[in-house]
Amino acid sequence: MTKIQIKQRPLLTRPEQFQGVPPFIAEILARRGVQSEQELELKLKNLLAPQLKGLETAVALIDQAIDEQKKIVIVGDYDADGATSTALMVLVLRDMGAQVDYLVPDRFKYGYGLTPAIAELAHQTYQPDLLITVDNGISSHAGVDAAHALGMQVVITDHHLTTKETPLAEAVVNPNQLGCEFPSKALAGVGVAFYVLANLASLRNKQNKSTSKVTQYLDLVALGTYADVAVLDYNNRILVDAGVKRIQQHQCRAGILALLDIAGREASSLRAQDLGFVLGPRINAAGRMESMRIGIECLLADTMESAYPIARQLNQLNIERRQIEGEMKQQALSALDSLQLSKEDVPPALILFEENWHQGVIGIVAGRLKEQFHRPTIVFAPDEDGIHIKGSARSIDGVHIRDTIEQVAEQHPELVSHFGGHAAAAGLTIRKENFEAFKTVFVGCIATMDESLFQATLWTDGELPASALQLDTLDWIEQLGPWGQKFPFPQFEGHFKVVDYRWLKETHLKLKLALDQYSFDAIAFNAVGRFEFDPMRDHVHLVYEIDRNAFNGNVNLQLRIVHLNQ
């Protein structure tokens, strides 16, 4: 395990501006850069104005296609963001009376995005007049050209980063395209689709045409945004909060309720984090293990009766995914062990490939290894053609993984066939024969970076006074959510006296702690191998989150231990 330094988050704004909240809450907000009290008001009317480059053209084209009963095909991506974007487009356009179908590339056969092969497949299957991409397309120059050659118009909606000119589609909507002035660059693919459809609905409403109440689908927008680990800036927090509230009130897609029921979760007590840890993985399992059609059909299902069997199938795929992921992670750790890495000589980046690894799970395994070793990590699996291998990259703060891959591609064009993504996560394809050469060049690029980046840091919100360690504090914290990417759930540090301890199932450590005249329960899940606990010492230094522990009808505060040392 990497050695961790513990630091307090710096104040980014002034705590004094937040009136009527306890001082430690004001500090939590200031440490997350909240600019004003207005940012605590998560109302849809506060969403950013729809000033996205290409939006008007896109809306006009789709509007015309609906009026003229042209055939529309949505081309999605095979992750939760792509699935929710596809479902959102299909549902809203159907409400408006459009002739609409969808297509999701099989990730194992076609790879990512609007490729010429996908344009050909869309043409053969549906003969569409208009092709709309969601959550992909910003790099699909050849795919757009192929679609045009087959007589289709193309509207691209995407959010992925690009440093290049956009493809020559009829319209491109992406807050990250060159020349787009939209203030938030953090919209997920489903957020971009939402802006396009909300504006289309408003245009059609003004003209008294068939339209749709797009806000009824904010559950999909929240799920796709959170599951894609989009930065929770003010705009995204409004979207996620609105969607979470709809789910809590059961005003959401039947498929979401079915998935929650199968996972044993109550919709009424859903938190934003559950979108990422309960719903997201089950939707993603479809694209990882089989076909994202299953995930999309679950989200499109109109009744609990039709949603339930599909939700069960997704749950089963997720169980299989977890099993394969566990096996791959063990193999990866064994491969790293065989290199006899000590804590001091972990290389600047971890690049791994095995012939028997599964393409659908490499991203998760890369993420797990990145967490464990605090290094940028790329995990490769074989492609169907036997010539190429596909990689999934995950990165640490301060190392922009997509730009680093681009740097390798520009200096050594022969080493990278395709790539795309974001700062923290990216995907790429290389030739199998180039694996060692790519590894050498990529690790070389990372090795030139500032060494301080490779020091894992655990950021805290400082110490809580003992008197604040109560359920009221947790109520405050929960009201200020949703918490997530770049708006992290508060964690605190403190020194406590150990009154008692016991091991649960020989893996989880349960502690009874004292601070001043107060006593608290605390739990460290999977503590064996993570933390060294010496029962002979009567004090611990903890980093923790506060949580509820409901037992026999009683609800008590519990500290959930994130890090422990003595």
Side-chain angles (χ1 to χ4, degrees), residues 165-221:
E165 283 300 321
T166 49
L168 295 171
E170 275 66 17
V172 179
V173 187
N174 177 346
N176 289 301
Q177 69 177 304
L178 300 175
C180 184
E181 302 292 316
F182 189 70
S184 170
K185 304 300 177 190
L187 280 178
V190 72
V192 178
F194 172 79
Y195 264 87
V196 170
L197 293 166
N199 281 277
L200 175 63
S202 141
L203 172 76
R204 292 182 68 81
N205 202 26
K206 281 183 196 136
Q207 298 170 348
N208 291 320
K209 295 179 185 171
S210 54
T211 186
S212 169
K213 191 166 186 290
V214 184
T215 50
Q216 70 183 309
Y217 302 117
L218 279 163
D219 53 333
L220 296 174
V221 181

Side-chain angles (χ1 to χ4, degrees), residues 249-309:
Q249 292 154 8
H250 289 68
Q251 295 178 338
C252 62
R253 301 305 301 162
I256 287 179
L257 292 176
L259 283 169
L260 285 172
D261 192 43
I262 286 167
R265 296 299 181 100
E266 285 288 331
S268 55
S269 56
L270 178 103
R271 299 182 311 166
Q273 292 92 309
D274 298 325
L275 300 173
F277 297 107
V278 179
L279 292 169
R282 286 170 169 81
I283 297 282
N284 271 325
R288 293 186 188 288
M289 306 304 295
E290 204 163 307
S291 159
M292 192 36 106
R293 281 198 83 85
I294 306 165
I296 294 166
E297 287 302 322
C298 185
L299 297 173
L300 290 176
D302 278 335
T303 62
M304 287 302 277
E305 289 73 27
S306 55
Y308 227 89

Side-chain angles (χ1 to χ4, degrees), residues 302-322:
D302 278 335
T303 62
M304 287 302 277
E305 289 73 27
S306 55
Y308 227 89
I310 317 175
R312 270 208 199 89
Q313 194 181 352
L314 288 174
N315 196 54
Q316 190 53 45
L317 287 171
N318 194 46
I319 291 167
E320 288 169 34
R321 185 271 305 167
R322 281 207 296 252

Side-chain angles (χ1 to χ4, degrees), residues 361-410:
V361 184
I362 49 179
I364 301 179
V365 174
R368 302 268 191 259
L369 294 172
K370 180 265 299 186
E371 288 296 322
Q372 188 162 340
F373 293 97
H374 195 70
R375 292 291 186 275
T377 300
I378 309 181
V379 177
F380 285 93
D383 195 6
E384 296 230 315
D385 65 5
I387 298 165
H388 293 90
I389 56 178
K390 290 196 166 154
S392 208
R394 296 294 181 269
S395 195
I396 56 177
D397 271 355
V399 176
H400 195 304
I401 198 88
R402 183 209 163 276
D403 287 2
T404 311
I405 295 167
E406 184 170 48
Q407 194 183 331
V408 173
E410 283 176 349

